[in-house]
Amino acid sequence: MASQKSRSNPTESRTTSLQLKKNRTNDSKQDTQSYNKTKPKKVKKISKSIKRMESEISQIQNQMDRIAKDLTTVLDLMQTKKGN
């Protein structure tokens, strides 16, 4: 009796494991499909964020250039006054 049960169990476990593998592949396909549907939306949001950051960085660089010019002017005026 015990030998008959052990013989039937491997086939049952094989079919069970095959079913589990099949379910896993179906789940991963569904996950991939849902990801592909949301991907363009996420890409658009990310690209908008990147463009906004680039714009802000450009504005900051312009401000830093103006500050550098102002500081150079102040230093030149200070050196001129020290020379007199």
Side-chain angles (χ1 to χ4, degrees), residues 50-64:
I50 290 172
K51 287 179 183 177
R52 189 179 325 116
M53 287 181 204
E54 288 174 343
S55 173
E56 290 175 2
I57 289 171
S58 174
Q59 290 175 359
I60 291 169
Q61 285 176 337
N62 289 337
Q63 289 174 348
M64 289 176 70

Side-chain angles (χ1 to χ4, degrees), residues 64-75:
M64 289 176 70
D65 287 341
R66 285 188 218 129
I67 291 169
K69 287 178 186 176
D70 291 345
L71 288 174
T72 303
T73 304
V74 168
L75 285 174

Side-chain angles (χ1 to χ4, degrees), residues 40-54:
K41 291 179 184 177
K42 290 181 181 181
V43 169
K44 286 180 183 178
K45 285 184 180 181
I46 291 171
S47 64
K48 281 184 181 181
S49 296
I50 290 172
K51 287 179 183 177
R52 189 179 325 116
M53 287 181 204
E54 288 174 343

Side-chain angles (χ1 to χ4, degrees), residues 9-83:
N9 280 343
T11 56
E12 286 178 15
S13 65
R14 286 181 196 156
T15 56
T16 305
S17 64
L18 289 174
Q19 288 173 349
L20 287 173
K21 287 180 184 178
K22 190 175 183 180
N23 289 340
R24 287 180 191 156
T25 56
N26 286 341
D27 288 346
S28 65
K29 286 180 184 176
Q30 289 172 352
D31 290 344
T32 304
Q33 289 172 353
S34 65
Y35 173 75
N36 287 338
K37 287 180 183 177
T38 59
K39 185 178 177 183
K41 291 179 184 177
K42 290 181 181 181
V43 169
K44 286 180 183 178
K45 285 184 180 181
I46 291 171
S47 64
K48 281 184 181 181
S49 296
I50 290 172
K51 287 179 183 177
R52 189 179 325 116
M53 287 181 204
E54 288 174 343
S55 173
E56 290 175 2
I57 289 171
S58 174
Q59 290 175 359
I60 291 169
Q61 285 176 337
N62 289 337
Q63 289 174 348
M64 289 176 70
D65 287 341
R66 285 188 218 129
I67 291 169
K69 287 178 186 176
D70 291 345
L71 288 174
T72 303
T73 304
V74 168
L75 285 174
D76 288 343
L77 288 172
M78 289 173 66
Q79 288 175 352
T80 312
K81 286 186 178 182
K82 280 185 180 178

